[in-house]
Amino acid sequence: MSAAPKVIVTRRLPASVEAALRERFDVELSRRDEPTNAEGLQRVLGQADGLLSTVTDRLTAEVLAAYPIRTRIIANFGVGYENIDLPAAQAHEIVVTNTPDVLTDCTADLAMTLILMTMRRAGEGERELRSGRWLGWRPTHLMGARVAGKVLGLVGMGRIARALARRAHHGFGMRVLCFDPSPPSPVELAAVGAEPRATLAALLAESDVVSLHCPSTPATRGMMNAARLAQMKPGAFLINTARGDVVVDDAVIAALKSGHLAGAGLDVFRGEPNIDRRYLGLENAVLLPHLGSATRETREAMGFRAIENLAAFFDGRTVPDRVV
Ligand code: DGY
């Protein structure tokens, strides 16, 4: 029998996932649980047959130019994979996979959490109570915005956006609009109660809440800039569970300060975890540390999905979630 493939894992994973990796592969698990720098990633690429990476591993063209490369598959733990330079991976004949589907519900739940927290000023309220500043119930205290009946505009209409549309429309009585250059079929849209708009400008102009669900690509980076934010209704809310670099922080911060944006709910940030510190002083921003998929069930499912991709590859079977 040939030796088990060598798999190196860059971050701590749920215990059940680490146990399954130990059973199936000659695995090197992460004990430090810190992001691996370029040099460390190049060491891994030279030693592992398979790399189980995460969004915090920047597998750039320079890193992938390591020599010699032993790695034949990068199984990324996450649905997003903008941390990996795909053309460079392809040039080195490395297969790249992701973990779609299993995080859809939990990420949509978190987007809904941010909508509710932002519109109902839940972060402000909790800070007030914990700091001992609460003066008691009164009719004008921390008045937020009613959710039912408001218009939610979804930018990007993939799996997570559709799951959010279902929750917002059928659960919270919102009217849901969407913009996607490649929209789902009318039947799929009708199932989740969403109406398409032909342009992003039209969507922004009609929405009380705009929620971002597009990947980070050259076309979407910096998309929500000052001009786009100006197209939003005065007093609208912005929600981002996609990627931090889709928004321009200067523009979002200026709009939150001026009140053009009544609030923003952000789970992802450019350069995270070193976020723009100006956000910290803004009461109308709800800030979460990239928790979209962070439930025990989902993180385990993501791990098992990555394992299945590795196992299929090394068994010579069709790799289920192959990106390139
Ligand atoms: C994802 O799956 O893309 C999450 O943002 C974590 O990486």
Side-chain angles (χ1 to χ4, degrees):
M1 205 175 86
S2 58
K6 170 93 177 168
V7 169
I8 298 185
V9 183
T10 60
R11 302 303 295 256
R12 289 300 300 266
L13 297 176
S16 57
V17 177
E18 293 193 341
L21 280 162
R22 271 198 216 95
E23 265 176 36
R24 183 71 179 70
F25 304 108
D26 169 15
V27 67
E28 182 181 311
L29 297 170
S30 166
R31 285 294 152 245
R32 289 186 316 128
D33 198 19
E34 287 167 3
T36 312
N37 63 19
E39 213 184 353
L41 289 171
Q42 290 195 322
R43 175 194 72 81
V44 168
L45 291 167
Q47 294 179 357
D49 300 304
L51 165 58
L52 200 160
S53 59
T54 75
V55 68
T56 60
D57 300 310
R58 295 193 32 75
L59 290 151
T60 61
E62 293 72 37
V63 168
L64 290 164
Y67 184 82
I69 292 189
R70 174 168 159 183
T71 299
R72 303 269 50 95
I73 175 168
I74 298 173
N76 210 42
F77 183 98
V79 68
Y81 43 81
E82 76 289 341
N83 56 308
I84 304 170
D85 188 306
L86 295 184
Q90 260 181 316
H92 294 287
E93 295 179 8
I94 301 173
V95 167
V96 175
T97 63
N98 68 344
T99 59
D101 303 322
V102 290
L103 44 65
T104 300
D105 281 327
C106 286
T107 308
D109 287 346
L110 196 89
M112 197 67 227
T113 303
L114 282 174
I115 293 172
L116 296 171
M117 285 185 74
T118 310
M119 295 182 78
R120 299 302 307 273
R121 303 176 64 180
E124 278 177 82
E126 210 210 7
R127 281 192 293 280
E128 181 184 277
L129 185 148
R130 283 180 183 271
S131 68
R133 288 180 286 119
W134 183 29
L135 302 176
W137 191 92
R138 55 202 190 276
T140 57
H141 184 216
L142 282 180
M143 293 186 293
R146 176 184 149 117
V147 174
K150 293 292 185 330
V151 178
L152 170 64
L154 302 172
V155 180
M157 202 51 180
R159 288 173 291 252
I160 295 169
R162 295 201 295 277
L164 174 59
R166 197 178 305 112
R167 285 157 173 72
H169 181 68
H170 296 295
F172 290 89
M174 299 184 86
R175 183 169 163 221
V176 180
L177 309 179
C178 63
F179 167 73
D180 192 314
S182 320
S185 70
V187 174
E188 283 174 296
L189 289 180
V192 296
E195 306 162 39
R197 287 294 174 268
T199 64
L200 179 55
L203 180 100
L204 298 178
E206 273 187 79
S207 302
D208 300 301
V209 187
V210 170
S211 187
L212 305 176
H213 298 281
C214 46
S216 167
T217 66
T220 62
R221 274 174 217 136
M223 181 177 75
M224 293 306 289
N225 55 21
R228 287 294 185 197
L229 293 176
Q231 292 171 339
M232 290 174 65
K233 284 182 173 179
F237 296 84
L238 179 68
I239 306 298
N240 190 6
T241 53
R243 285 294 183 257
D245 58 8
V246 174
V247 306
V248 175
D249 290 324
D250 278 346
V252 173
I253 289 164
L256 285 168
K257 280 186 174 161
S258 74
H260 180 66
L261 282 181
L266 308 174
D267 185 47
V268 286
F269 300 87
R270 183 188 295 270
E272 59 189 48
N274 303 313
I275 74 166
D276 190 319
R277 298 194 62 81
R278 291 174 296 171
Y279 281 120
L280 305 181
L282 293 172
E283 282 292 342
N284 53 352
V286 175
L287 311 172
L288 296 182
H290 202 148
L291 294 180
S293 61
T295 63
R296 187 173 40 75
E297 294 88 341
T298 288
R299 290 286 163 84
E300 286 179 352
M302 291 165 77
F304 287 114
R305 191 99 178 201
I307 291 178
E308 175 50 21
N309 284 313
L310 289 163
F313 177 81
F314 290 117
D315 291 349
R317 291 182 278 122
T318 304
V319 179
D321 303 313
R322 187 171 177 156
V323 178
V324 293

